[in-house]
Amino acid sequence: MKAKTERKRDSAELARTKEEWIESAATLNAERFEVAGALFDLATEKAGETEVRRRLKQYRGGAE
């Protein structure tokens, strides 16, 4: 059920490109290199904020 809720929220979110997320790293309380590393293997060009924050947490070593 949680996955459905996240998909709905992601579709409502504004999707940004990898480059846009890297440039706006400060809004995520992160460094540009952290965001770039977190999004390195992203299959699509665009991602919503929820996905970016989840990947950033994983990149920093946080549990999923």
Side-chain angles (χ1 to χ4, degrees):
M1 187 72 174
K2 183 179 178 184
K4 250 186 188 177
T5 305
E6 285 186 25
R7 267 188 254 130
K8 284 182 183 177
R9 195 175 341 139
D10 284 343
S11 64
E13 286 180 326
L14 175 65
R16 294 182 182 180
T17 64
K18 292 178 186 181
E19 186 177 336
E20 290 171 333
W21 280 118
I22 293 167
E23 290 174 1
S24 63
T27 63
L28 300 168
N29 295 323
E31 296 292 331
R32 295 173 118 194
F33 74 88
E34 290 177 312
V35 176
L39 299 179
F40 177 74
D41 64 344
L42 185 65
T44 61
E45 181 59 30
K46 293 191 174 193
E49 184 175 355
T50 304
E51 175 69 12
V52 173
R53 287 188 183 279
R54 185 185 65 77
R55 287 175 166 272
L56 187 58
K57 183 177 179 180
Q58 280 183 321
Y59 180 80
R60 290 176 170 167
E64 196 171 283

